[in-house]
Amino acid sequence: MGRAIAGAALLAVLVSGCATRGSVREVQADLTAVRSELQALRRLHQDTAREVAQAAAELRAIEDRLRELTAGTSAAGAEVSRLRSQLVAAEDAIRKLQAELAARPTPPPPPAPEPAPREPAVRAPAADALFQTALATFRAREHGQAVLEFLEFLARYPKHALAASAQYWIGEAYFLQRDYRQALVEYQRVFEHPGADGVAPDALLRIGLCYDRLREPERAAETWQRLLREHPSSEAAAEARRLLKTRRAAARP
């Protein structure tokens, strides 16, 4: 079409007899401009067509998504209705069960449990014999075995009047083996057992000696001072006074 227009224009110029080189060039330039405009219009038309097609596709996708959402909403509504029906049925069943339970007679209370059998009384002769056996083992310098026997005594007779004494001799066994840290632990356990008052002075004296052997003189002195306050007239207190006096004299320059 562009070529036809250009030819017609050129023919008109020639027929009029006024054609010059300059006028021909002007016509050709005009024709070139027309062709460019036509090409631009074609590209614009193509771009517009593509945009319209893309918009149509997006619109169809939106419509499909809308249909899916509508279907999902309907399904959710149906599920809610189903659950509501189940809840109503469950509430009806609970009310029915409560009514049945209320109509039943109250069962009689269960019988009182039988009293627990009393523990047999500890046989004092057996406990004393076990204690004396452990003490004899200790005096035979079998300190490890003596610890085991005193522990057996405490396990079998934890409330016996000699329990604190048994614990004290366990501490003595470790002390004589120079295991002062374990001896300290065992002496401190004396006060957890019945009958601790009878061996408390000796236990405090030994606790102080353990601290002294472990090079903790301040704690040793504190323990001996406690012994003097709580048991001032005991033989252990007299020994504690002597030890404190000796330590003070040694500390003087």
Side-chain angles (χ1 to χ4, degrees):
M1 180 177 179
R3 291 179 180 179
I5 294 173
L10 181 59
L11 181 61
V13 171
L14 293 175
V15 171
S16 63
C18 299
T20 64
R21 291 182 179 178
S23 60
V24 171
R25 284 195 295 270
E26 290 178 359
V27 171
Q28 289 177 344
D30 292 339
L31 291 175
T32 301
V34 170
R35 291 193 191 97
S36 298
E37 291 178 358
L38 288 174
Q39 291 176 356
L41 289 173
R42 290 193 189 96
R43 287 194 295 270
L44 179 61
H45 175 72
Q46 292 172 355
D47 293 341
T48 302
R50 282 195 298 270
E51 291 177 358
V52 170
Q54 183 177 359
E58 292 177 354
L59 180 60
R60 285 193 297 273
I62 292 172
E63 291 175 347
D64 294 340
R65 181 58 179 164
L66 181 60
R67 283 193 293 271
E68 291 177 359
L69 292 174
T70 302
T73 302
S74 301
E79 181 66 15
V80 169
S81 299
R82 185 182 66 82
L83 293 175
R84 186 178 291 110
S85 300
Q86 290 181 353
L87 178 60
V88 171
E91 290 176 347
D92 292 341
I94 291 173
R95 283 193 292 270
K96 183 178 179 181
L97 180 60
Q98 289 175 341
E100 292 178 356
L101 291 175
R104 292 181 181 179
T106 303
E114 297 182 0
R118 295 183 179 180
E119 296 183 359
V122 175
R123 295 176 57 189
D128 293 342
L130 181 56
F131 181 87
Q132 293 300 328
T133 299
L135 188 58
T137 303
F138 175 86
R139 288 171 176 167
R141 299 183 182 277
E142 298 178 14
H143 299 129
Q145 181 61 31
V147 168
L148 296 177
E149 293 176 1
F150 280 122
L151 287 174
E152 180 184 358
F153 175 87
L154 290 173
R156 294 175 62 180
Y157 310 108
K159 303 299 183 182
H160 196 277
L162 292 174
S165 295
Q167 184 63 51
Y168 173 83
W169 288 112
I170 292 174
E172 281 288 283
Y174 283 107
F175 187 88
L176 293 177
Q177 295 178 85
R178 299 184 180 181
D179 188 350
Y180 301 118
R181 193 165 299 280
Q182 186 61 38
L184 175 63
V185 173
E186 301 300 338
Y187 285 131
Q188 289 171 336
R189 288 175 178 167
V190 166
F191 302 94
E192 301 173 2
H193 297 283
D197 292 341
V199 292
D202 293 325
L204 289 172
L205 179 65
R206 286 303 206 187
I207 289 172
L209 287 172
C210 287
Y211 281 129
D212 186 69
R213 299 294 193 276
L214 294 170
R215 298 184 179 181
E216 298 184 45
E218 293 83 4
R219 303 189 72 175
E222 290 174 1
T223 304
W224 290 331
Q225 292 290 351
R226 175 187 170 187
L227 170 57
L228 295 178
R229 289 193 305 271
E230 297 180 1
H231 309 279
S233 59
S234 63
E235 294 181 3
E239 179 64 15
R241 290 189 187 93
R242 186 189 67 78
L243 290 170
L244 286 169
K245 184 177 180 180
T246 302
R247 299 301 185 274
R248 292 193 192 102
R252 291 175 185 172

